[in-house]
Amino acid sequence: MITLHNLTVSYQRHPAVHHVSGRFAPGLATAIFGPNGAGKSTLLKTIMGAIRPDSGEVRFDGISRKDIAYLPQQSEIDRSLPVSVIDLVSSGHWRSSGLFGQVGRKQDQLSWDALVTVGLEDFALHPVSALSSGQFQRVLFARILVQDARLILLDEPFNAVDARTTFDLLELVRRWQEEGRTVIAVLHDYEQVRAYFPQTLLMAREVVAWGATSSVLSDDNLRRAADTAAHWQANAPVCAVDVTGAAK
Ligand code: ADP
Ligand code: MG
């Protein structure tokens, strides 16, 4: 369903994703695992169409980009939005209502149902700025519920999120798989990956391993990913600025 063909994505000619090829298993959850700076967020943004690759392509078979729900890393989200919880959830209806369109009664009901599913119906009329980070993440998952997308991309969805919320939201990931949706999530927790994500892509700009989680997360593969990242740091001075401030 989603295939990457020799995908290379760069910032100022420095590749963050390098010659990545492979296929995401349709209807399953794939975890993206790898060190900081491995290109995980860049890959998700390229799949959802926010960044254009330098070369290669993301090929969708049977789904369109409108069928994608994307949750960025929390650091990229403005939580001071002057909107209520229910309005943020309802903004997930943009595919059917248009970006600034009216939300109908049926859509309204779906938004409420989604809030009930994530356990936040009592907060419907609260401003989103008043929520804890765990509650905020529940609201964003409710928004994904109303989006009803076939492909769901989550970038570090459980960072700074309490254990109870993480558990509840992981159960939603399980439900999405049962419904045949494809989930791709950047994660850092082995236990979460092993318990909820049958597939894993381990990357360090390039693919280190991609396939069944149990075989991908081997000590050997994890060491290779870490070694590759250590190598970037060893190379860092080449691009650094020296003490006089002049680029080398
Ligand atoms: P990860 O999510 O795995 O930590 P990223 O995809 O965020 O990695 O980043 C991969 C590399 O690309 C890093 O070296 C990072 O500094 C660089 N990078 C990411 N975003 C930008 C950007 N907007 N401009 C320049 N470089 C970027
Ligand atoms: Mg990232």
Side-chain angles (χ1 to χ4, degrees):
M1 184 164 88
I2 306 136
T3 328
L4 309 180
H5 293 271
N6 200 17
L7 194 70
T8 294
V9 190
S10 307
Y11 298 102
Q12 290 93 38
R13 295 203 314 252
H14 292 284
V17 171
H18 205 205
H19 297 298
V20 170
S21 290
R23 176 176 170 273
F24 289 97
L28 285 180
T30 299
I32 303 183
F33 213 81
N36 282 335
K40 304 178 298 293
S41 296
T42 302
L43 178 58
L44 286 196
K45 288 174 187 169
T46 308
I47 293 171
M48 61 82 74
I51 305 182
R52 286 170 76 82
D54 295 50
S55 60
E57 62 171 337
V58 183
R59 218 174 278 166
F60 296 96
D61 188 13
I63 64 162
S64 74
R65 281 229 156 92
K66 277 186 139 186
D67 246 331
I68 303 176
Y70 167 65
L71 182 63
Q73 268 176 252
Q74 289 212 23
S75 56
E76 296 185 15
I77 303 175
D78 182 3
R79 281 182 48 192
S80 63
L81 290 170
V83 294
S84 68
V85 165
I86 190 73
D87 284 346
L88 182 56
V89 174
S90 290
S91 69
H93 288 298
W94 64 271
R95 270 201 305 164
S96 51
S97 62
L99 211 45
F100 304 102
Q102 287 289 314
V103 173
R105 190 181 290 180
K106 178 162 169 262
Q107 291 169 325
D108 236 359
Q109 186 61 48
L110 290 170
S111 302
W112 279 95
D113 291 348
L115 267 187
V116 171
T117 301
V118 301
L120 273 192
E121 66 274 28
D122 291 346
F123 290 81
L125 300 177
H126 289 217
V128 293
S129 56
L131 301 177
S132 71
S133 50
Q135 289 170 330
F136 190 67
Q137 207 66 346
R138 285 178 188 267
V139 173
L140 293 177
F141 270 66
R143 185 174 185 275
I144 294 174
L145 280 168
V146 308
Q147 264 183 282
D148 193 25
R150 294 187 55 205
L151 173 61
I152 297 165
L153 308 175
L154 309 169
D155 200 345
E156 303 195 18
F158 309 123
N159 271 14
V161 168
D162 60 280
R164 178 72 224 182
T165 299
T166 300
F167 176 80
D168 289 347
L169 299 181
L170 279 166
E171 287 299 321
L172 276 182
V173 170
R174 191 197 299 284
R175 175 174 139 188
W176 286 332
Q177 287 183 89
E178 286 164 4
E179 292 168 349
R181 303 179 204 270
T182 305
V183 182
I184 304 173
V186 176
L187 293 173
H188 289 291
D189 185 300
Y190 295 103
E191 299 312 318
Q192 289 167 10
V193 174
R194 289 210 172 91
Y196 291 89
F197 290 77
Q199 295 272 307
T200 298
L201 161 58
L202 175 62
M203 67 184 286
R205 299 192 184 164
E206 297 162 11
V207 174
V208 177
W210 193 346
T213 295
S214 50
S215 55
V216 167
L217 292 183
S218 67
D219 290 347
D220 199 37
N221 285 338
L222 292 168
R223 203 173 310 119
R224 277 174 47 220
D227 284 351
T228 309
H231 177 75
W232 305 327
Q233 275 142 31
N235 279 349
V238 176
C239 302
V241 172
D242 74 15
V243 285
T244 65
K248 281 184 187 164

